[in-house]
Amino acid sequence: MVRFIATLAALPAALAIPFTINPYNSIWDHNVRPYKAPGPNDSRGPCPMLNTLANHGYLPHDGRNIERQVLFDALSEHVGIEQSSVETAMANAIILCNFQTGQDCGTTLKNLTLLALPHAFEHDHSFSRGDYKPAWIASPEDFDDNKNFNASIFQTSLDVLEGSSHMNYQQMNQVRLQREALSKQDTYPGWFEESKAIQEFEAGFIFGVMGDFNLPNYISNPQVKVEWWKYWFTNEALPYELGWHRPEPKKDVNFLLSASSRLLAARVTSTPSPLVSGAIGPAVAPVTLPAQVNTITYQLPTGTPYVGPIATEKGLGHNNGNGLFKREPEAQATPAPSAGFVPMNPYAQTLAFSDIAKQQARASARMGLI
Ligand code: HEM
């Protein structure tokens, strides 16, 4: 034994180094990297997944100069989202980059923060972010944080689930309606715009990456494991330590379109108010997901997981001195926001500069700013 150890010690360092152990290596993802919190100069935006990828170093950790192909590869390798799912979104991110920088961004998204431009790609009634102009701003020119995770807002999404361990399409549609109702109630008069199709596409992403692959019928009827979803959004980290790993099979654009149309078509059991007309009811006929594939087996990660920081309400959310999310009575008198107008869906339709300008001008006009 002593001779064996001595022989090992004598091995050149170059031979010993390749055997570093990463506790998260699984058959699905061999290059797992631990979470590292963003620093004060790192750029982050309103997308929980892009922030997460940057926090793990799967995208540049500073959240800047993100190459199109680097993003596609990171999504495919680490969260099982295929290029077809995000091709249009990435094209629109670049258009937004051109729009805001006045330069040709080429194939490089200059930073994650520029995605927060309101009523462009970013929209109202998010699951975990505030709206740009809520009721409590002091004047129409003022604005609030529409970019960072907000624990209080996310809690209003989770409240709908009443402690369920899993979320199906119907529950998610109910969450969406709750967020719409609260956002419409708390909006600065004239600001609110309903963005149903965009939000349901994002909800499709949640089903795509946080669907519980341990449940039967995972392929044909995925259900989100709520503790994974909560961990992901709250920490902006992937929930490896909760037994999550990159899902298989990878999710393509057909999965997302199918999931989002089934979400929108899922019949809800109660209807919060106020809602815009048309908020309830299918926007498109539901498409079905691919049939169950029975041959797939999953391997859970082993080893001791790292612990990501758990965000608390401290420092998150808007505090106007009177507590979070004070409601102003005049917000109830919001003018009809969206009659006959449907904002572009940047995951499925290519934006032109004129579309962005038009969407922004609508809200500004309603508020009397132009
Ligand atoms: C190029 C690709 C992508 C771009 C440019 C992008 C951009 C955005 C933007 C601008 C938002 C803010 C919308 C809002 O106001 O709520 C958003 C939200 C969101 N994104 Fe992404 N995203 C991309 C890919 C993804 C992927 C691959 C996932 C997950 C697999 C994802 C998950 C989400 C979710 C769940 C939300 C909603 C957050 C909330 O409502 O609080 N995104 N994304």
Side-chain angles (χ1 to χ4, degrees):
M1 186 61 174
V2 173
R3 190 175 329 141
F4 175 69
I5 292 169
T7 313
L8 266 186
L11 280 175
L15 275 180
I17 283 168
F19 301 104
T20 48
I21 293 168
N22 183 331
Y24 298 113
N25 278 356
S26 75
I27 54 170
W28 305 120
D29 188 346
H30 296 283
N31 295 306
V32 169
R33 290 187 213 150
Y35 167 94
K36 187 171 157 237
N41 298 320
D42 293 331
S43 173
R44 292 294 181 267
C47 177
M49 183 49 83
L50 301 187
N51 290 350
T52 297
L53 294 176
N55 289 341
H56 281 282
Y58 301 144
L59 293 178
H61 190 263
D62 65 0
R64 296 172 205 279
N65 298 315
I66 297 165
E67 268 304 312
R68 189 182 124 93
Q69 196 57 49
V70 170
L71 177 80
F72 292 156
D73 292 347
L75 282 170
S76 173
E77 185 174 355
H78 299 292
V79 288
I81 293 290
E82 281 190 356
Q83 184 168 327
S84 67
S85 308
V86 285
E87 243 162 355
T88 307
M90 187 57 182
N92 283 320
I94 298 286
I95 287 164
L96 210 48
C97 186
N98 298 341
F99 183 82
Q100 292 201 73
T101 61
Q103 297 165 6
D104 179 359
C105 297
T107 55
T108 312
L109 177 60
K110 295 292 176 206
N111 63 63
L112 293 175
T113 309
L114 62 80
L115 296 171
L117 184 73
H119 285 173
F121 204 130
E122 191 274 349
H123 57 81
D124 296 333
H125 59 85
S126 307
F127 298 120
S128 69
R129 269 73 178 158
D131 293 347
Y132 192 62
K133 291 190 190 275
W136 46 82
I137 53 175
S139 74
E141 290 81 15
D142 206 358
F143 57 88
D144 204 354
D145 179 1
N146 67 335
K147 174 173 78 71
N148 295 302
F149 174 76
N150 182 316
S152 302
I153 294 221
F154 187 44
Q155 191 56 48
T156 67
S157 298
L158 296 174
D159 283 347
V160 176
L161 304 173
E162 296 176 332
S164 299
S165 63
H166 289 82
M167 172 173 65
N168 60 26
Y169 288 140
Q170 184 201 47
Q171 288 166 302
M172 179 49 116
N173 204 15
Q174 196 92 44
V175 171
R176 189 261 309 177
L177 288 171
Q178 163 90 331
R179 288 298 312 130
E180 277 197 30
L182 289 175
S183 171
K184 187 164 189 290
Q185 175 183 282
D186 289 344
T187 194
Y188 197 88
W191 176 255
F192 178 87
E193 191 87 76
E194 190 197 39
S195 300
K196 191 159 75 164
I198 312 176
Q199 187 163 40
E200 293 299 39
F201 204 98
E202 289 161 353
F205 276 135
I206 298 171
F207 278 78
V209 287
M210 294 299 151
D212 188 348
F213 40 70
N214 299 304
L215 290 181
N217 302 322
Y218 162 63
I219 306 288
S220 57
N221 200 18
Q223 294 193 48
V224 170
K225 188 159 182 170
V226 176
E227 63 170 11
W228 289 351
W229 179 30
K230 195 172 166 185
Y231 182 103
W232 165 35
F233 266 42
T234 310
N235 296 298
E236 300 206 320
L238 293 168
Y240 297 112
E241 63 173 308
L242 301 182
W244 178 92
H245 60 74
R246 186 190 85 196
E248 287 287 331
K250 294 183 183 180
K251 308 299 185 294
D252 65 5
V253 69
N254 293 325
F255 173 92
L256 289 158
L257 291 172
S258 169
S260 53
S261 74
R262 284 175 67 183
L263 276 159
L264 279 170
R267 191 182 286 271
V268 293
T269 51
S270 68
T271 51
S273 70
L275 285 172
V276 296
S277 76
I280 300 158
V284 281
V287 189
T288 43
L289 292 172
Q292 174 85 43
V293 180
N294 292 319
T295 51
I296 297 171
T297 53
Y298 299 100
Q299 179 184 305
L300 293 176
T302 54
T304 313
Y306 72 92
V307 179
I310 301 291
T312 65
E313 285 196 13
K314 194 165 184 287
L316 295 169
H318 175 85
N319 191 335
N320 60 5
N322 298 318
L324 296 171
F325 309 113
K326 180 169 169 283
R327 287 180 190 154
E328 304 292 347
E330 59 271 26
Q332 306 289 344
T334 305
S338 306
F341 178 83
V342 180
M344 305 266 295
N345 179 352
Y347 297 99
Q349 296 169 288
T350 307
L351 294 169
F353 278 15
S354 55
D355 297 317
I356 300 171
K358 192 163 58 182
Q359 289 185 185
Q360 295 194 316
R362 279 180 58 79
S364 299
R366 282 198 304 262
M367 293 173 69
L369 287 174
I370 54 172

